[in-house]
Amino acid sequence: MESEELKVLENYITRHNLKITHQRRAVLNAFLNSDKHVSVEELYTTITETEPKIGLATVYRTLALLTKSGLALEMDFGDGQKRYEHSYMHAHHDHMVCTECGKIIEFNHPLIEKFQEEVARQNGFTITSHKLDLFGHCNDCG
Ligand SMILES: [Zn+2]
Ligand SMILES: [Zn+2]
């Protein structure tokens, strides 16, 4: 697969004197085919279907590479699982996390974004990225 994302990863990997291995490619493909907010364990299970010899450590390290190269966003909703979602060419959003059932609601509010910029400006601060996670209960869980 010659995707834009593969080029981004290859670029990053070459700049850092690493190699694009068969296993790293498999992790990238599984990640690109994954749903939003996929956990490392879920990805690992998928990858082992085609790469039974891959180690969990390789999956972790490759996901770290994907994060550093700007393809993935890493998130931690406090349930003991690192999760990832697509970052390359995707619009920014924030998250609401139900602490009962684990449901994740995505949102984007222009005023929240604007006020963050305003607060940063008042403090002479330049925001390069941000994460906003709200925790609570969804409709189903009351
Ligand atoms: Zn819920
Ligand atoms: Zn999301």
Side-chain angles (χ1 to χ4, degrees):
M1 187 182 66
E2 266 303 316
S3 63
E4 276 290 308
E5 284 91 346
L6 181 58
K7 273 182 224 148
V8 171
L9 181 62
E10 276 171 347
N11 253 322
Y12 181 89
I13 277 187
T14 325
R15 263 186 288 128
H16 292 81
N17 291 319
L18 300 164
K19 270 194 201 129
I20 179 98
T21 61
H22 181 71
Q23 291 193 337
R24 280 182 177 147
R25 221 180 253 262
V27 176
L28 174 69
N29 282 334
F31 168 70
L32 292 177
N33 290 324
S34 71
D35 282 334
K36 286 172 172 180
H37 320 122
V38 67
S39 73
V40 179
E41 260 170 47
E42 285 160 355
L43 267 179
Y44 179 68
T45 309
T46 311
I47 297 165
T48 49
E49 283 166 20
T50 52
E51 298 285 327
K53 282 187 194 145
I54 199 164
L56 188 56
T58 304
V59 177
Y60 267 103
R61 278 197 301 264
T62 308
L63 285 166
L65 276 181
L66 297 184
T67 304
K68 284 187 202 141
S69 65
L71 291 173
L73 275 178
E74 186 183 290
M75 49 204 69
D76 186 344
F77 294 141
D79 60 353
Q81 297 239 43
K82 273 192 182 174
R83 292 173 188 280
Y84 293 86
E85 74 181 355
H86 302 173
S87 159
Y88 187 66
M89 307 283 279
H90 282 65
H92 166 75
H93 60 261
D94 296 312
H95 297 106
M96 287 182 238
V97 183
C98 177
T99 52
E100 294 297 317
C101 70
K103 182 159 144 196
I104 298 163
I105 300 165
E106 298 189 334
F107 71 95
N108 186 298
H109 198 296
L111 284 182
I112 294 178
E113 303 294 319
K114 186 174 158 244
F115 288 146
Q116 287 178 148
E117 286 297 334
E118 206 171 297
V119 161
R121 214 175 313 117
Q122 287 163 359
N123 288 277
F125 187 82
T126 307
I127 302 174
T128 53
S129 71
H130 78 264
K131 287 179 190 173
L132 177 61
D133 302 329
L134 307 180
F135 295 92
H137 300 152
C138 75
N139 245 340
D140 298 333
C141 301

